[in-house]
Amino acid sequence: VRIKGNYPHEIGDLASTLNYMADEIVQSNQVKDDFISSISHELRTPLTGIKGWSETLVSGGFDPEETKLGMSIISKETDRLIGLVEEMLDFSKLQQNQMKLVMGEVNMKELLQETMLNVWAKAEQKHISLNLQPGERPFLVYADGNRLKQVFLNLVDNAIKFSPDGSIISLMITEIAPDKVRISVKDPGIGISPEFLEKVKDRFFQVNPNQGGTGLGLAITQQIVKLHQGEMHIESELDQGTTVSVDLPLLDNQQPSGSLA
Ligand code: ADP
C-alpha cells in the first residue's frame, strides 16, 4: 500500500507516516513468516526421528543394544521438542507480561557452576573447554534462580553453537559497582557483524536462519534480565568472537535479610 500525490504539508506528513507504518507491517509480517517456516522445520526434524525410530522398533526383531539405541534417540528428540515448545510458551508469557518469577536469594557463583555442569556434555562433543573465573565471593542477588539459570544456559549454549571445535569459552563474574555484578560469557567464535549486533536481541532474528534454532533465545534472555532490573550487552567482532554481559543488582551488603525467599 502506497499513498502518492501532491498534498498540502500536513497531509503529506500523514501520508509519509502511513507509508512508513505500512512498510513496518510488511516487514514484521515477513519476520513472522520466516519464524513460522523456521519453527516448522525445527519441530519437524525431531518428529521425523521419533516417527522413524518408533516405526522401526514396532516392526520388531532387534537385539537389546539396537532397541536401546532407538529408545534413547526417541527420548532425546522428545526432550528437544519439549525444549522448543517451552521456549515458545516462555516467549508468549513474556509478550503478555505473564511470566511469574519465584524470587529468592541466589548465589551467582553456585548458579554458574551448576550451569557449567548442565552444558558440560554438549561442550565435550565439540571438545570445547568451559572456564569459570568465579571471583572471590558468592555474589548474592535477589532473583528467580531457575529463570536466571535459563539465561546463562542460553548464553553458553549459543557460545558453544557458534564457536569452532576445541575453543575455550570463559564465564566471568566481577563486581562493577558496590551494588552491581557483571556476569560475562566470552567465546572465540564466528562473531556478529556490527549491522546485526542490536538485531540479534530481536525476537525471531537469526543472522543465518539455516543454522537451526528459533531466534527466540536472546529475546527471552534479554526480557528475563530486564525483569530482574538488569541489563544485557553484546560486544562482538566478526571472526573474532562474542562477549555477552549481564549486569544484575547485588543484594545489599551481601547480607541475607532473612525476609526474602
Ligand atoms: P537462536 O540461537 O535460536 O537462533 P538466539 O536469539 O539465541 O536464537 O540468537 C539469535 C541469533 O544471534 C543467532 O541465530 C545467531 O545468528 C546470533 N548469535 C547469538 N549468539 C551468538 C554468538 N555467541 N556468536 C555468534 N552469533 C550469535
Side-chain angles (χ1 to χ4, degrees):
V1 189
R2 309 281 332 157
I3 300 170
K4 294 182 190 138
N6 286 328
Y7 299 104
H9 193 57
E10 292 79 8
I11 298 184
D13 281 354
L14 180 63
S16 60
T17 307
L18 288 174
N19 284 335
Y20 175 77
M21 285 167 72
D23 287 345
E24 292 273 291
I25 291 167
V26 168
Q27 221 175 48
S28 86
N29 278 338
Q30 179 62 45
V31 168
K32 279 196 182 136
D33 288 349
D34 289 350
F35 171 68
I36 289 170
S37 124
S38 79
I39 194 74
S40 309
H41 186 80
E42 282 295 297
L43 292 170
R44 201 188 161 138
T45 313
L47 281 173
T48 310
I50 292 168
K51 172 122 178 94
W53 270 101
S54 50
E55 278 180 355
T56 310
L57 289 175
V58 165
S59 71
F62 296 99
D63 66 34
E65 266 317 293
E66 286 167 328
T67 308
K68 204 171 150 197
L69 173 72
M71 300 292 268
S72 77
I73 292 176
I74 290 175
S75 162
K76 224 173 92 192
E77 296 297 332
T78 309
D79 284 344
R80 204 165 135 195
L81 281 179
I82 293 172
L84 282 168
V85 171
E86 272 174 0
E87 197 172 48
M88 287 192 281
L89 285 174
D90 282 346
F91 178 71
S92 133
K93 270 189 221 156
L94 283 163
Q95 286 284 94
Q96 294 166 43
N97 215 356
Q98 279 182 350
M99 182 174 276
K100 305 242 179 323
L101 298 181
V102 184
M103 301 295 273
E105 190 185 290
V106 175
N107 177 329
M108 284 312 298
K109 195 167 156 176
E110 275 175 18
L111 186 133
L112 291 184
Q113 280 161 345
E114 282 170 29
T115 307
M116 308 258 291
L117 285 178
N118 286 164
V119 288
W120 206 264
K122 201 176 246 178
E124 272 287 304
Q125 283 170 8
K126 287 181 81 175
H127 308 289
I128 284 178
S129 316
L130 301 172
N131 175 10
L132 175 64
Q133 293 160 23
E136 52 314 316
R137 294 200 280 115
F139 295 108
L140 302 179
V141 298
Y142 183 58
D144 181 329
N146 287 329
R147 289 297 178 191
L148 274 194
K149 197 152 160 209
Q150 180 181 356
V151 163
F152 294 105
L153 278 174
N154 182 43
L155 296 181
V156 179
D157 206 57
N158 276 345
I160 294 173
K161 186 162 147 190
F162 297 106
S163 295
D165 285 17
S167 302
I168 299 174
I169 292 167
S170 307
L171 272 85
M172 285 153 288
I173 321 182
T174 37
E175 186 178 326
I176 51 166
D179 57 353
K180 213 185 254 182
V181 67
R182 171 167 296 170
I183 300 107
S184 307
V185 179
K186 184 172 193 280
D187 72 62
I190 60 171
I192 302 164
S193 72
E195 58 183 308
F196 299 135
L197 209 47
E198 279 309 306
K199 282 203 169 131
V200 291
K201 295 185 201 166
D202 292 350
R203 59 201 180 137
F204 314 138
F205 185 85
Q206 301 182 293
V207 174
N208 178 0
N210 302 322
Q211 213 147 17
T214 57
L216 289 178
L218 285 178
I220 293 174
T221 296
Q222 161 152 281
Q223 292 197 54
I224 294 178
V225 171
K226 276 191 183 154
L227 285 178
H228 285 88
Q229 277 72 51
E231 281 176 39
M232 181 176 91
H233 302 284
I234 307 182
E235 281 170 50
S236 190
E237 215 178 311
L238 209 53
D239 299 326
Q240 298 301 313
T242 303
T243 302
V244 184
S245 309
V246 172
D247 296 349
L248 292 169
L250 275 166
L251 261 177
D252 284 351
N253 304 321
Q254 298 278 301
Q255 290 299 318
S257 76
S259 62
L260 299 170

